[in-house]
Amino acid sequence: MRILIVGNGGREHALLWKLRRDEPAASFFATQPNGGMASDCESVQIEATDVGSLSGWAISNKIDLTIVGPEAPLAEGIVDHFEKVGLPIFGPHARAARIESSKAYSKELMWNAGIPTAEHRTFTDLPAAEAWILRQGAPIVVKASGLAAGKGAVVCTTEQEALSAVRSMLGDCIFGEAGQEVVIEEFLEGEELSVFALTDGEHSVILQPSQDHKRVGEGDTGPNTGGMGAYAPVSIATPELMEEVGSKIIQPTLRALVEDESPFQGLLYAGLIKTEDGLKVIEFNCRFGDPETQVVLPLMQDSLLDLIATVAEGGKLQPGVAASRPDVAVTTVVAAGGYPSSYEKSKEITIPKQLESENCIIFHAGTTRREGQLLTSGGRVLAVTALAPSISEAAEASADAAGQIEFEGAFHRSDIGWRERLRQDQ
Ligand code: AMP
Ligand code: GLY
């Protein structure tokens, strides 16, 4: 079997790692693979968003199955392109990917289908948005409607902050087209949960729920990032809560998408928050989460490849929950100094030889190999996943291993999983 992975971050390295375990004999290819993926697959030197060139390449190279990691190629219509030429591909069509690529669309879909989410208004006009913020007061959340590489949501504690966020998006166009429409929504308080539903558009297999750590600083302080670490399982995701996620969130969302002639086949990621008023959706994504995938897949016992191939070939899934090994996984992101603001690249990375083991996996994200050297090439550089019988052991092993990786300016959070550890201590 010849499998193409589109994308080259930590999530895609984790996909490669898992699919390789599911089908060791397969040949793997990836677009511009990072320094860790490169030794385990063949490199395809085409941009992930160049969907026309990629489908041509996939035909010439007899690819049997393609799996798309990031949202940008999905929003560009990579699945529509591949299907047109008869290539099996896992991911939603561009129309369905709007659930992530347009927050305005996603909020409207949720609102119409009665799916619990923060109250919101959508604006394209700056004075109207400013007036709304002054009327509502802080705290309040300002979001670019389009794709903004995880940086488009600003949680504002003062009206001033919210006014400056909306001015930078609608006035100064810091996110370009993506910020020409903004969603302003009510601030929700509670613990977050990431749920991955692998779906054929009607039925879903729910993977192990996990928890991301979005803020850059220890104790969840500082600006939002793409995610500084994650862990799974999460004890707030009880069987009752997951039943509610399925019946009140995932299933009605899939039905609403079908009714909107945008059936969703792929991985629907629900970003949830458990508030005092119950569970609410913060956002939907149309792909696997990063860094959550780096804890969910190492725990997954079932074959991911079987599920993905079934959906890509237009088959039906047996609804249920994917089996997970009875351990805890914690991943700690090692980031470049300055991230999530500007940071330098091309710093030499040193990873101690004995660091990697059966229970310590180093997923590369922003790395590249040049003339035998491993160098940084992004803000989130590596994700170190540790597996252990308890949250404390996994968290300590992950933070300890992250601390042993060296490059100029490297930093990580050493408190990933702190909420779960507090619960276990009580
Ligand atoms: P988003 O880009 O919509 O996923 O938002 C990124 C992060 O901002 C979320 O994971 C939350 O931590 C935070 N956030 C987004 N929307 C809200 C909200 N309405 N209330 C509180 N926090 C939010
Ligand atoms: N970890 C958040 C995301 O993948 O969007």
Side-chain angles (χ1 to χ4, degrees):
M1 191 173 201
R2 294 165 70 78
I3 303 174
L4 169 64
I5 297 175
V6 176
N8 62 1
R11 163 187 49 214
E12 289 76 20
H13 193 185
L15 286 165
L16 173 63
W17 180 93
K18 171 65 174 155
L19 295 172
R20 170 72 77 197
R21 262 157 192 75
D22 292 344
E23 187 66 52
S27 300
F28 286 92
F29 302 82
T31 59
Q32 304 175 318
N34 63 40
M37 296 170 79
S39 52
D40 202 26
C41 69
E42 286 181 50
S43 167
V44 182
Q45 284 307 320
I46 301 175
E47 288 274 346
T49 46
D50 186 356
V51 300
S53 302
L54 272 179
S55 68
W57 181 90
I59 296 174
S60 315
N61 288 274
K62 302 192 166 43
I63 293 299
D64 300 300
L65 177 66
T66 299
I67 162 160
V68 187
E71 59 279 12
L74 294 165
E76 284 288 324
I78 190 168
V79 173
D80 310 64
H81 254 78
F82 273 54
E83 278 193 1
K84 219 178 271 169
V85 293
L87 289 165
I89 182 164
F90 178 81
H93 295 103
R95 252 183 93 77
R98 283 182 302 164
I99 198 151
E100 174 169 1
S101 64
S102 166
K103 285 189 196 290
Y105 170 76
S106 166
K107 293 293 287 191
E108 197 187 322
L109 185 97
M110 284 191 257
W111 209 250
N112 292 339
I115 291 153
T117 186
E119 286 198 33
H120 78 288
R121 286 276 199 290
T122 299
F123 297 93
T124 49
D125 177 57
L126 181 56
E130 289 173 335
W132 180 252
I133 289 168
L134 294 173
R135 202 166 125 194
Q136 295 300 110
I140 195 161
V141 183
V142 177
K143 298 182 179 183
S145 177
L147 296 180
K151 293 180 184 158
V154 191
V155 179
C156 308
T157 45
T158 62
E159 283 175 15
Q160 213 44 48
E161 247 182 285
L163 290 172
S164 101
V166 84
R167 283 171 195 151
S168 69
M169 292 180 199
L170 288 176
D172 304 336
C173 305
I174 58 160
F175 297 121
E177 186 77 8
Q180 289 308 285
E181 189 173 37
V182 299
V183 169
I184 302 182
E185 65 181 36
E186 153 198 27
F187 172 78
L188 298 175
E189 204 151 13
E191 195 162 338
E192 290 183 47
L193 191 67
S194 301
V195 176
F196 296 170
L198 208 149
T199 177
D200 57 29
E202 186 185 357
H203 302 302
S204 312
V205 172
I206 308 289
L207 311 188
Q208 176 78 262
S210 58
Q211 190 172 84
D212 192 6
H213 295 59
K214 285 255 166 60
R215 303 295 187 117
V216 73
E218 309 259 320
D220 294 332
T221 52
N224 267 338
T225 67
M228 293 297 292
Y231 70 93
V234 186
S235 58
I236 60 165
T238 58
E240 298 75 47
L241 188 102
M242 292 311 294
E243 181 61 42
E244 189 184 330
V245 171
S247 63
K248 299 214 172 113
I249 293 168
I250 304 291
Q251 288 311 317
T253 301
L254 294 177
R255 279 197 297 273
L257 284 159
V258 168
E259 279 160 24
D260 191 38
E261 295 173 5
S262 310
F264 188 105
Q265 287 99 15
L267 194 289
L268 182 65
Y269 160 153
L272 307 173
I273 186 160
K274 197 174 167 223
T275 73
E276 273 183 357
D277 300 332
L279 206 55
K280 296 195 180 182
V281 177
I282 284 209
E283 63 163 354
F284 280 115
N285 292 318
C286 63
R287 38 80 193 168
F288 285 89
D290 189 343
E292 294 98 316
T293 304
Q294 290 90 306
V295 291
V296 174
L297 295 188
L299 289 174
M300 186 175 175
Q301 280 178 321
D302 289 343
S303 164
L304 176 68
L305 182 59
D306 285 351
L307 297 172
I308 283 178
T310 301
V311 173
E313 281 153 16
K316 287 283 155 206
L317 293 173
Q318 193 66 39
V321 173
S324 272
R325 64 185 254 193
D327 276 316
V328 177
V330 173
T331 200
T332 301
V333 168
V334 184
Y339 176 79
S341 300
S342 63
Y343 51 82
E344 289 181 15
K345 295 183 186 173
S346 300
K347 303 290 177 198
E348 189 175 356
I349 306 167
T350 315
I351 304 175
K353 268 212 170 66
Q354 310 304 329
L355 202 56
E356 230 172 330
S357 68
E358 190 54 26
N359 290 320
C360 179
I361 314 161
I362 299 169
F363 293 116
H364 289 233
T367 77
T368 187
R369 275 186 205 282
R370 211 177 299 146
E371 291 157 12
Q373 283 188 329
L374 184 66
L375 304 175
T376 66
S377 61
R380 290 189 294 172
V381 178
L382 298 143
V384 186
T385 300
L387 298 144
S390 71
I391 180 75
S392 301
E393 288 163 285
E396 276 159 31
S398 171
D400 179 61
Q404 292 185 50
I405 294 176
E406 291 178 4
F407 57 87
E408 193 192 318
F411 78 97
H412 68 276
R413 276 181 61 170
S414 56
D415 66 343
I416 304 302
W418 68 271
R419 286 196 165 84
E420 192 70 24
R421 292 182 78 172
L422 265 183
R423 270 194 289 274
Q424 307 271 310
D425 289 345
Q426 274 163 10

